[in-house]
Amino acid sequence: MTVTDTLTPRVTAWQRAGTVEQVAGHSIFVRERGGSADRAPLVFLHGYPSSSYDWRDAFDLIDGHRLMAFDFLGFGLSDKPRDQLYTLAAQADIVEELTRRFADEPVVLVAHDMGSSVATELLARDIEGRLSFPLRSVLLFNASLVRERASLLRGQKLLLSRIGPLFTRLTTQSGFTRQFAGIFSAEHPLDADEAADQWSLLARYDGHHMLDKLIHYNRERVTPPTAGRWHDALRSWPGRLELGWAGKDPICTEAVLEAVLALRPHAELTRLPGLGHYPQIEDPRTVCQLVQRHASRD
C-alpha cells in the first residue's frame, strides 16, 4: 500500500488542492486561496496532533481575504523526520519563511492549540525587533498558553513521561480515536468520517509513532527561560490580540483562560460556550464568522 492510498477520500481531495514547498530542506504542505489585495492576508496555524486540515472550512466560509494554511513539520502531509527536535522556534521559522509570499504586507495570524504557542514565539520575535514580517493582528483559540494551568489528558502525560517512546509505539487507530473523541463537546461529537480523516493524516509516514517527539513543545512551555519569554510576549506585545475560547474544552479550561487574562487583562474575548477543544471542526461557521469579524476590523 502506498502512502497516498492510506489517505481518506476527503483528505486526498485536500491534498490535491494544495502544494508542497521546500523549507530548510523539508517538504511542507501548503494550502492557499486568493483574495482581494486590499484585505489583509490570513495565516492559519494548527494544533497538536492534527494539521491544517482542521481549518479547511475557512476556505469556503471566509470571504475576500487571501488565506494560507500549512502543516507544521512533523504533522499532516508535511515531512516527518525522526531526528528532528520539534521546538516552537523551529516551527516559527517555517511560518516566517512561508509568509515571505506576502511581500511585507501586514498579516493576520489565526492560531489554535500548538499553533497558538507558535504564535507567542512570533510575538516575542516581534517585540525583539527581529520578526521578518509585519503582524497586523492575532486571534488565538484554545491553547495551553499557561501550561501549568492546563488539564493534560492521561495520554499526553504518558507521552511526556519516561515511557513516552514506548507509549507512542503502542498507538493504534482505535486508541487515538477514543482519546480524540474525548476532547469534543457532547453537543458536537466527533463523527466517524472526521476520525478517519484525522487518523489518516496522523498515520501518514508513521506520524502516530512520533507523538512523543511532536509533543516536546509542552515541555518548553514550562521550562525557563522560554516559558517566561512567551508569557512576557502575551503580556507586552503592543498589537491587537483577541481570544476565542471554547467553554467545553477539557484541556484548556477556564483556569487556563483566567491565567492568560491575568497576563493580558484587556484582551478582547469571545466565548464559544458550547464547543470543545476543536471549535473550528465542531462549529466551523461560528468560528469562521469570528475570524472574519476579527480580520475585517481596523
Side-chain angles (χ1 to χ4, degrees), residues 44-121:
F44 292 87
L45 308 182
H46 69 80
Y48 169 97
S50 49
S51 69
S52 61
Y53 185 70
D54 300 343
W55 291 111
R56 63 192 182 275
D57 289 299
F59 288 78
D60 295 321
L61 296 176
I62 293 177
D63 294 330
H65 293 269
R66 288 157 290 167
L67 309 181
M68 182 181 74
F70 68 94
D71 293 348
F72 285 119
L73 186 66
F75 295 81
L77 300 170
S78 291
D79 278 351
K80 299 176 179 179
R82 295 189 173 277
D83 58 351
Q84 176 77 25
L85 182 60
Y86 287 95
T87 65
L88 294 177
Q91 305 290 17
D93 289 345
I94 297 173
V95 180
E96 292 210 59
E97 181 64 29
L98 291 176
T99 53
R100 293 180 187 276
R101 69 195 61 215
F102 298 121
D104 293 329
E105 289 184 70
V107 166
V108 175
L109 278 185
V110 181
H112 169 248
D113 189 71
M114 186 192 76
S116 292
S117 290
V118 174
T120 63
E121 168 63 21

Side-chain angles (χ1 to χ4, degrees), residues 3-4 6-7 11-12 14-15 19-20 27-30 46-54 70-81 86 91 114 176 197-208 210-211 214 278:
V3 169
T4 301
T6 66
L7 300 176
V11 171
T12 298
W14 171 256
Q15 179 191 40
T19 59
V20 172
S27 295
I28 301 297
F29 174 79
V30 181
H46 69 80
Y48 169 97
S50 49
S51 69
S52 61
Y53 185 70
D54 300 343
F70 68 94
D71 293 348
F72 285 119
L73 186 66
F75 295 81
L77 300 170
S78 291
D79 278 351
K80 299 176 179 179
Y86 287 95
Q91 305 290 17
M114 186 192 76
F176 164 77
D197 292 344
Q198 294 289 341
W199 173 255
S200 76
L201 285 157
L202 177 63
R204 182 179 170 84
Y205 298 136
D206 286 332
H208 58 303
M210 295 173 47
L211 288 170
L214 299 177
Y278 275 88

Side-chain angles (χ1 to χ4, degrees), residues 138-140 240-244 268 270 290 293-294 297:
V138 177
L139 173 57
L140 303 180
R240 180 164 64 90
L241 187 150
E242 184 174 357
L243 302 170
E268 184 175 347
T270 298
L290 172 55
R293 178 183 59 76
H294 172 89
R297 286 179 52 189

